[in-house]
Amino acid sequence: MSALHDPPTAHRRLKAGSLIDAQAPTGVDGFFQPRRAAFWLFVFFLANGVFSMVSNFYFGYRVVPTAVVLATLVWALYALPFLLFFRSLDLFEQHPPLGFAMAFAWGGFAACYLAIPVNSAVQSLSAKLIGPEFTKDWGPALAGPINEEILKLLGVILLVMIARTQFRTILSVVVLGAMIGLGFQIVEDLLYSVNTAIQFPYTNQVVPVGLMLLVRGVFSGLWSHALFTSVSAFGIGYFVTRRQKPLIQRTAVAAGAFALAWLMHFFWNSPWLQGVGGDGVVGVLVLCVVKGIPVLVAGYLIWRFAGREEGSQLRVVADHYIDDDLMTPEERDGLTSLRERRRLRRHMRKTHGRKAARILHRLQRAQLHMIRVCEENGAGIPAARAAQDVTALREDLGTATA
């Protein structure tokens, strides 16, 4: 499979009246694949993870019930904007909700469940071989990047093996990697909140949750597991979608992406630059920003490359299948990035009002859906139905802007 979709040469371009394309693609796999071993391996570890994590939270609830309920609510609300953001980045709407749910669940339950004993074993071994003082300072930097990044990436690989043809662009893999990292991040933050409440020297169960939200959510939430895993997932995405490239090159990119994710995680967990901002809350904030900005920049460059590749994929499919009566050249350019789509909606709101901007938003989503249907099924009956929705919304937009 090439990086850019290579549709069949014999095809019929989609117009308002188009009905069928005999050379249509065959569609894509779903994420429910009980005939594949990877699916049951995923289910096995996920079931064990759910049992383990629920047991841990139940124990915490018996000790600090208020903290458990409050932390669950706080971190669920914290995760919501990230979920919506990652979902919006999937321009083609390639993944159904089940795929995103499976990715989040793997990170939050399976990866966390596997990482806890492995991290403890690595730090225990380090204390015996090197010394407790070294392990106190460097233990998190040794255990976390190796174990956690491998376990999270295992979820990416399993999802790719389960729904093999779901992943047609690098960004489609990167987004699910981010979802796995976010699941790990949220459940880990929830565990830290509960454990802090249990060990808190006072009976107050609200303050520990607030402290964890401040430190792990506000100060370090942007440059954490969601970013690390999306970077390592980039390598898997390159390996899967660049099949025309030599195997050694694809393997090297995958290994390099994992190494970069490991380095970002190692740098964040290491004691380097400790005390650069002084003591107290301000010092913690300064340290997080100083260490976080390089990590965020590296992740941003990876995301930007994947996003541009996704936009190019979108344009190739649209140009191949869809005529200008359904999607003008200007609209094709505007659909290629989240930023450009938002810019067009802001301009529409300024010139014609909020109603027109909302209709434009619906039109953009309908056009993206039409492109996805064309890529999966060609310019056939499903695409013709999608074209009817686009035509109706275009008429509504014309009325709103008249």
Side-chain angles (χ1 to χ4, degrees):
M1 184 182 299
S2 62
L4 298 181
H5 180 76
D6 187 15
T9 54
H11 73 287
R12 180 177 299 173
R13 286 174 65 82
L14 182 66
K15 301 180 182 179
S18 296
L19 290 178
I20 191 166
D21 182 354
Q23 301 294 327
T26 58
V28 295
D29 293 339
F31 282 94
F32 182 74
Q33 297 289 345
R35 294 187 178 182
R36 293 179 179 171
F39 176 82
W40 292 110
L41 187 63
F42 185 98
V43 170
F44 173 78
F45 284 114
L46 180 59
N48 280 273
V50 169
F51 178 80
S52 176
M53 291 297 103
V54 170
S55 298
N56 285 338
F57 292 133
Y58 177 71
F59 170 78
Y61 181 80
R62 296 176 61 183
V63 180
V64 285
T66 302
V68 171
V69 173
L70 179 62
T72 302
L73 178 62
V74 165
W75 289 113
L77 293 175
Y78 179 87
L80 185 59
F82 289 94
L83 292 170
L84 296 176
F85 175 70
F86 294 146
R87 185 72 178 91
S88 70
L89 290 177
D90 190 20
L91 294 183
F92 270 160
E93 296 182 326
Q94 291 184 69
H95 305 313
L98 177 61
F100 284 92
M102 290 173 68
F104 189 90
W106 176 271
F109 296 103
C112 277
Y113 151 72
L114 294 169
I116 291 174
V118 176
N119 284 348
S120 298
V122 169
Q123 296 201 43
S124 176
L125 184 63
S126 172
K128 292 178 180 178
L129 295 179
I130 304 177
E133 285 299 321
F134 175 86
T135 303
K136 178 182 177 182
D137 294 333
W138 289 94
L142 292 176
I146 297 175
N147 303 327
E148 294 170 5
E149 295 309 318
I150 288 177
L151 293 172
K152 290 182 293 179
L153 192 62
L154 176 61
V156 176
I157 295 172
L158 286 176
L159 286 172
V160 170
M161 294 175 66
I162 290 170
R164 298 166 188 169
T165 57
Q166 279 274 341
F167 303 94
R168 302 185 294 276
T169 64
I170 294 177
L171 188 61
S172 67
V173 185
V174 170
V175 168
L176 279 197
M179 289 294 293
I180 289 176
L182 180 64
F184 189 98
Q185 181 177 332
I186 294 301
V187 174
E188 184 184 52
D189 290 342
L190 182 55
L191 284 171
Y192 271 98
S193 299
V194 173
N195 291 335
T196 301
I198 293 174
Q199 301 170 11
F200 203 61
Y202 305 104
T203 57
N204 191 309
Q205 299 181 33
V206 176
V207 172
V209 177
L211 289 175
M212 288 297 100
L213 177 62
L214 180 66
V215 174
R216 300 186 63 84
V218 178
F219 288 177
S220 60
L222 289 179
W223 31 75
S224 189
H225 290 282
L227 188 62
F228 302 151
T229 315
S230 67
V231 171
S232 60
F234 175 91
I236 301 300
Y238 187 94
F239 188 92
V240 170
T241 63
R242 295 294 202 273
R243 295 187 180 179
Q244 80 280 10
K245 300 291 185 181
L247 178 62
I248 188 171
Q249 178 177 332
R250 294 156 58 205
T251 304
V253 171
F258 177 81
L260 177 59
W262 178 91
L263 183 63
M264 293 163 64
H265 198 163
F266 177 85
F267 176 68
W268 178 256
N269 282 11
S270 73
W272 289 337
L273 304 178
Q274 200 73 29
V276 67
D279 300 325
V281 176
V282 175
V284 174
L285 175 60
V286 171
L287 176 63
C288 289
V289 171
V290 169
K291 297 183 74 171
I293 291 299
V295 172
L296 189 62
V297 169
Y300 169 77
L301 294 176
I302 291 291
W303 276 85
R304 186 177 181 182
F305 179 88
R308 287 186 173 182
E309 189 259 0
E310 180 97 342
S312 299
Q313 165 92 338
L314 182 150
R315 186 62 186 263
V316 167
V317 177
D319 289 347
H320 185 81
Y321 283 111
I322 300 171
D323 275 347
D324 291 348
D325 61 342
L326 287 171
M327 188 180 300
T328 66
E330 293 77 12
E331 289 173 336
R332 298 167 198 264
D333 294 337
L335 287 174
T336 56
S337 74
L338 181 65
R339 177 184 298 178
E340 185 63 16
R341 296 203 310 273
R342 286 176 174 172
R343 186 191 68 79
L344 291 173
R345 293 198 298 270
R346 286 196 300 267
H347 178 73
M348 181 66 70
R349 185 169 59 250
K350 290 180 181 179
T351 55
H352 297 285
R354 293 182 179 275
K355 181 180 179 180
R358 287 194 296 267
I359 296 175
L360 177 61
H361 188 196
R362 292 167 56 196
L363 175 62
Q364 290 173 339
R365 299 306 297 178
Q367 289 173 328
L368 289 169
H369 174 74
M370 180 174 59
I371 295 173
R372 179 179 65 83
V373 172
C374 286
E375 187 187 34
E376 293 178 4
N377 303 297
I381 293 177
R385 295 194 184 103
Q388 291 176 353
D389 294 336
V390 170
T391 301
L393 287 169
R394 187 183 299 281
E395 293 174 355
D396 292 343
L397 184 62
T399 302
T401 56

